[in-house]
Amino acid sequence: MKYRREIDGLRALAVVPVILFHAGLKSFSGGYVGVDIFFVISGYLITSIILSEKEAGIFSLLSFYERRARRILPALFVVMFACLPAAWIWLLPQDMKNFSESLVAVSTFASNFLFWHQSGYFDTASELKPLLHTWSLAVEEQYYVLFPILIVSTWKFGKRWIFLSLLVISILSFGLAEWTSRTYPGFDFFMLPTRSWEILLGAFTAFYLNRKNRKVLHHSVDQLISLVGLSLVIYAVYAFNDQTPFPGIYALIPTVGATFIILCATNQTLVGRLLGSQVIVGIGLISYSAYLWHQPILAFARQRSLDQPSNQLLVGLALATGVFSYISWRFIEKPFRNKKIISRQKIFLYGVIGSLFFIVAGLVGYGSGGFPFRFDSILLDLQKANMGAYESHVKPCWSKIENSPTLESACSFGANKPPSFALLGDSHSGALLAELDTLGSAHGVGGVNYSYRSCPPLTTVDPIKATDGDRTCSALRKNFFDGITFNSVIPQTIVISARWAALVEKKRFDNEEGGVELGDEWIWNFDISGSTYSKAVEINLINSIHSMLDSGRRVVLIYPIPEMGWDVPSRLSKIYRVNHSISPPDASTSYSRFLERNKKAYDALDAIGHHQNLIRIKPENILCNTYVKERCIAQLNGVSLYYDNNHLSDAGALLIASQIIEAVQGPIR
C-alpha cells in the first residue's frame, strides 16, 4: 500500500481538536469530532491493507492481529502503567475503585461498555476519568475482530457483494445512530453498532480507490472537493457543542469531510500540500501517543488541583502532551513495530502478560474498594458523602417510578400511615428523601415520593433530548398535574424542591473563586413566544404552583439550595490532605455570589405571590451568613453538608427536613 503523507496530516487534524476540546477551550467546542475522523481514517487504512493483501494472496488473520497488537498495545500499556503511581497518590477510594474497574475494561477492550454504563445521572464527571478516552480504542478493536473475518468468509462472493453487504450494515448503523442520538445518547456515543457506519465510510473509500478502472477526477475537481472536505471538518470543530445530537446525522459533516479529504487531497492539491507539510505530518505521526497521553494528564491535573485548573494551565499541559507523545512514539511505538527487534512471539507474549497484569491490578483495586487504607479515618468519613450514597437513598423509589411512572406506583416513606404529604421535584427534592423518611417515622408522619431526577415540577416543559429519564419524567409529571384536579391519591400537602437557579439560568454554576461546575447546560423547550427564557420559566412556575393551591392543597416551597461550584467532599479531602485540618470557611462559597446567581430564581418564586396555604422555606437562612459571615457553608465540624457540588447530603438535608416536617404537621387553612 502506497504511503500518503496527507493521511498522517489528517491524523493531526483529528487529534489536535480532541486535545484542545478536552483542555476546555470553548472555541474548540466540537473538537470531539476528531474521534470520528480517526474512525474514518482507520476504516480506510485497514480496508486498503486487507484488500491489497487479499488480492495478492498473502492476507493472514494472524498477521493482521499481530499488526494491531504492535500498533495498539505497547504505547497503551506504557500510559496505563504511568497512571498507576498518579492514581495511588492522588485518587481517593471511590475514584480509585472506578479507575481500577477501567483498568480491567481497557485490558479486555470493553471500556466503551463500562463508560456507557457509567454515563448515568450519578456518574463522575468525564473530565476526571484518566482512561475515558480508551472507549474509542475499544470500538475500533471490536470492529477489527469482526471486519476481517467477514471479509475472509465472504471473499469468494466477490467485492461487489461484500460492498453491498457492508452498505446495508452501514445504513442500519446510521439509522440506529440517528435514532439513539435523541433517545439513548449514552449508548449512541459509546457503542460499536452506532459507530460502525463511520468506520465503514473509510472502508467504502478504500473500496473505491482500490478499483483498477475507477475514473480519475480532474485536478480542479480534486481541488474543490478536498477544500469542501477541510471546510466541513473545520466547521464541525468550531460549530458543534455538547448540545449537538451526536453521532447521528450531524456526524455526517466531519466524517464526510474526512472522506472527501482522503479521496481527493493529493499532493497536487492545496489541502494535500497543507496536510502533507512537515510539521503537520510530524504531529500526525505521534497522534496515537498524543491521544493516549492527553486524557490522563488533564484528568490527573483536575483530580490533583484544589480548584478547577485555569485554562492556561490546561492548555500548557495539552502542549506538554507533545513531549510525552514524541518520546512514546520514538522509543515505544517505533521499536515495537519493527519485526526485526520484536518478534511475533514476543509481541503476543507481552500482550498477554500486560493484559493479565492490568486485569489483576484492576480486580484487586476494585475488590479492595480503592485501597482505602491509604487514608486516615477523617478522609474516609468525608468520602462516605458521595453520589453513590445519594443513589442508594433514591434508587428504590426512582426505580419504581421508572418501571411505572404513575401516582399509584410511587413509593411511600416515613411513618407507616396514609401519606399526609407528597415530595415533588428533581434531584434536589430527592436529596431530602432519606431524612424526611427518618423524621417522618419519628414524628408519625407518612409521605409519598413524586420526585425524580432532572424532573422540574412544572406543567408544560419538554426536554431537548427525549431519553428514557425524560419520558419517565414527562409521564410522571402529567399524571401528577392531571391528578391535582381529578385524583384524590395526592396528599393535601405538597413539598416542592428543585434546582431553581439552573432551571432559570440554564447554565451550570461558577462560584468565581475557582469552583466551576462541569457538565452540560440544563436546557428545556419552553414556549417563550416573544418573552425571555427565564420569564417563560417564571410563568410556568407560577401556573404550576397555583394549580396546586387552587386545588385546595397546601404547598411547602423550598427556595434554592446554595450551589457550591466544587465537589464538596473532594475539596474538603484535598484541603485536609494539605492542611491536616478543616476550618469553618473551607469549601464554602460567597453569599453575595449566591444572591447574584439566584436573583432570577427568587424573582420567579416570589412572583407566585401570597397565599394562605403557601409556606416558604429558605435554606439560605440556615446555610448562608450564619455559621460563617458572608459565606454559604459546605460543612459543619468536618462533616460535609453536600454529596457533590449542589446536592445536600443527609447532614445538610437534616437542617432543612426538620422545618419541612414542622410545616407538614401544621393545619391547612
Side-chain angles (χ1 to χ4, degrees):
M1 179 181 170
K2 182 182 177 181
Y3 173 67
R4 295 178 58 185
R5 291 176 58 83
E6 61 273 12
I7 300 300
D8 275 328
L10 185 57
R11 294 183 197 271
L13 188 60
V15 77
V16 170
V18 170
I19 294 174
L20 295 179
F21 166 73
H22 286 151
L25 266 68
K26 293 183 179 179
S27 56
F28 287 81
S29 59
Y32 54 83
V33 303
V35 173
D36 307 85
I37 297 170
F38 275 129
F39 285 155
V40 176
I41 296 172
S42 295
Y44 164 71
L45 292 175
I46 293 301
T47 306
S48 296
I49 291 171
I50 292 176
L51 291 177
S52 61
E53 290 188 353
K54 283 297 292 181
E55 289 176 342
I58 60 173
F59 179 77
S60 161
L61 280 175
L62 186 62
S63 296
F64 175 84
Y65 292 125
E66 176 192 351
R67 282 195 298 268
R68 297 310 302 164
R70 290 181 184 276
R71 168 70 173 163
I72 298 296
L73 296 182
L76 175 62
F77 285 165
V78 167
V79 171
M80 291 171 68
F81 191 80
C83 287
L84 295 180
W88 182 270
I89 295 169
W90 292 329
L91 295 189
L92 293 163
Q94 185 59 46
D95 290 328
M96 186 64 169
K97 182 179 178 181
N98 293 338
F99 172 75
S100 298
E101 190 176 18
S102 70
L103 288 177
V104 179
V106 173
S107 302
T108 55
F109 290 108
S111 57
N112 59 327
F113 283 91
L114 172 65
F115 295 124
W116 166 42
H117 285 294
Q118 286 184 350
S119 61
Y121 188 78
F122 303 100
D123 187 32
T124 301
S126 61
E127 293 87 346
L128 301 177
K129 297 179 180 181
L131 297 178
L132 174 69
H133 60 322
T134 61
W135 72 268
S136 64
L137 301 183
V139 168
E140 286 193 2
E141 293 313 303
Q142 291 158 17
Y143 177 87
Y144 294 142
V145 168
L146 301 172
F147 183 72
I149 295 175
L150 175 64
I151 296 296
V152 170
S153 60
T154 58
W155 186 258
K156 61 184 178 182
F157 297 108
K159 285 193 290 185
R160 180 184 295 273
W161 191 92
I162 296 173
F163 181 90
L164 291 175
S165 299
L166 294 176
L167 182 61
V168 171
I169 293 172
S170 67
I171 292 172
L172 292 174
S173 172
F174 177 76
L176 181 64
E178 173 60 18
W179 177 58
T180 55
S181 68
R182 293 171 173 82
T183 53
Y184 304 97
F187 179 92
D188 185 47
F189 189 86
F190 286 109
M191 301 307 291
L192 175 62
T194 54
R195 292 286 189 169
S196 57
W197 70 269
E198 301 180 22
I199 307 176
L200 286 171
L201 270 182
F204 296 145
T205 306
F207 270 96
Y208 175 77
L209 294 178
N210 181 258
R211 292 177 57 188
K212 292 182 174 57
N213 59 344
R214 66 181 176 87
K215 183 179 179 180
V216 178
L217 300 176
H218 191 274
H219 169 69
S220 60
V221 177
D222 281 339
Q223 193 82 267
L224 176 62
I225 293 178
S226 60
L227 282 170
V228 170
L230 181 62
S231 300
L232 289 174
V233 169
I234 293 174
Y235 172 80
V237 168
Y238 288 103
F240 288 5
N241 56 42
D242 53 15
Q243 296 300 318
T244 304
F246 205 86
I249 194 168
Y250 288 92
L252 283 171
I253 295 175
T255 54
V256 169
T259 301
F260 283 176
I261 291 172
I262 295 173
L263 282 171
C264 299
T266 65
N267 55 14
Q268 281 79 44
T269 64
L270 178 63
V271 173
R273 289 194 295 272
L274 174 66
L275 295 180
S277 63
Q278 187 173 356
V279 172
I280 295 181
V281 168
I283 296 173
L285 288 172
I286 64 171
S287 61
Y288 175 59
S289 284
Y291 184 76
L292 288 179
W293 280 106
H294 85 280
Q295 177 68 11
I297 290 173
L298 295 173
F300 281 119
R302 289 181 169 111
Q303 288 277 8
R304 180 67 181 87
S305 178
L306 190 60
D307 301 329
Q308 171 69 7
S310 66
N311 286 339
Q312 292 84 353
L313 174 60
L314 292 175
V315 171
L317 291 173
L319 294 175
T321 298
V323 177
F324 287 90
S325 305
Y326 175 79
I327 295 172
S328 178
W329 171 77
R330 176 68 177 80
F331 298 105
I332 304 298
E333 286 193 65
K334 287 188 70 176
F336 273 90
R337 291 186 199 177
N338 191 331
K339 295 182 180 180
K340 295 180 181 179
I341 299 175
I342 308 293
S343 67
R344 172 182 288 179
Q345 290 78 8
K346 286 183 178 179
I347 194 67
F348 283 133
L349 178 62
Y350 294 159
V352 171
I353 292 174
S355 297
L356 289 175
F357 170 78
F358 289 113
I359 289 171
V360 171
L363 290 174
V364 172
Y366 184 83
S368 69
F371 304 111
F373 59 82
R374 294 173 295 147
F375 306 105
D376 63 26
S377 59
I378 294 178
L379 277 173
L380 296 180
D381 286 342
L382 284 171
Q383 289 302 291
K384 292 177 182 177
N386 56 55
M387 291 304 285
Y390 178 103
E391 183 176 15
S392 68
H393 293 327
V394 299
K395 190 172 184 178
C397 283
W398 286 7
S399 294
K400 291 183 69 175
I401 291 172
E402 287 167 349
N403 292 332
S404 177
T406 63
L407 300 180
E408 289 73 18
S409 65
C411 74
S412 300
F413 60 90
N416 187 21
K417 294 182 178 180
S420 56
F421 75 101
L423 185 62
L424 179 69
D426 58 23
S427 57
H428 275 211
S429 185
L432 304 171
L433 184 58
E435 287 304 316
L436 287 176
D437 182 30
T438 301
L439 291 178
S441 296
H443 289 82
V445 178
V448 62
N449 174 69
Y450 300 137
S451 75
Y452 186 67
R453 62 179 175 87
S454 296
C455 194
L458 306 177
T459 53
T460 54
V461 56
D462 296 314
I464 297 294
K465 296 181 179 180
T467 65
D468 279 350
D470 295 327
R471 285 188 288 271
T472 297
C473 171
S474 296
L476 176 65
R477 199 170 44 216
K478 183 179 187 305
N479 287 331
F480 177 85
F481 283 103
D482 286 348
I484 285 294
T485 303
F486 304 110
N487 195 320
S488 60
V489 170
I490 298 175
Q492 286 300 106
T493 298
I494 302 167
V495 177
I496 300 175
S497 180
R499 194 173 180 188
W500 303 115
L503 183 62
V504 172
E505 298 283 358
K506 298 187 290 187
K507 298 178 181 179
R508 299 281 177 170
F509 183 54
D510 178 354
N511 65 21
E512 298 182 351
E513 298 176 7
V516 181
E517 183 186 359
L518 304 173
D520 300 341
E521 290 186 335
W522 209 33
I523 302 177
W524 299 83
N525 282 325
F526 283 102
D527 178 15
I528 48 182
S529 299
S531 180
T532 63
Y533 184 91
S534 58
K535 193 65 178 178
V537 176
E538 178 181 315
I539 293 170
N540 201 316
L541 174 59
I542 293 171
N543 293 337
S544 301
I545 300 299
H546 275 288
S547 70
M548 303 177 208
L549 295 171
D550 292 345
S551 72
R553 288 175 172 82
R554 174 172 53 192
V555 173
V556 179
L557 182 61
I558 314 300
Y559 270 55
I561 304 293
E563 302 156 300
M564 294 291 109
W566 37 52
D567 186 287
V568 173
S570 177
R571 183 172 179 82
L572 291 173
S573 298
K574 292 175 182 178
I575 291 173
Y576 181 80
R577 292 175 71 180
V578 173
N579 300 332
H580 304 290
S581 64
I582 296 174
S583 61
D586 286 341
S588 65
T589 56
S590 164
Y591 181 37
S592 61
R593 177 69 183 116
F594 164 81
L595 294 175
E596 178 187 8
R597 161 75 167 175
N598 288 276
K599 184 182 184 308
K600 289 182 180 178
Y602 265 67
D603 288 345
L605 295 168
D606 290 344
I608 297 169
H610 173 76
H611 192 285
Q612 62 180 1
N613 281 331
L614 177 62
I615 299 174
R616 292 175 163 92
I617 294 178
K618 298 182 178 180
E620 70 159 293
N621 294 337
I622 302 171
L623 298 171
C624 299
N625 204 29
T626 50
Y627 296 93
V628 179
K629 188 173 179 60
E630 297 300 325
R631 306 292 291 179
C632 296
I633 60 168
Q635 57 86 26
L636 278 176
N637 302 318
V639 178
S640 177
L641 301 180
Y642 289 81
Y643 282 126
D644 59 354
N645 51 54
N646 67 91
H647 294 91
L648 290 175
S649 67
D650 289 352
L654 179 60
L655 301 176
I656 313 298
S658 56
Q659 290 192 22
I660 295 174
I661 293 297
E662 181 180 347
V664 166
Q665 289 181 305
I668 299 177
R669 299 173 185 175

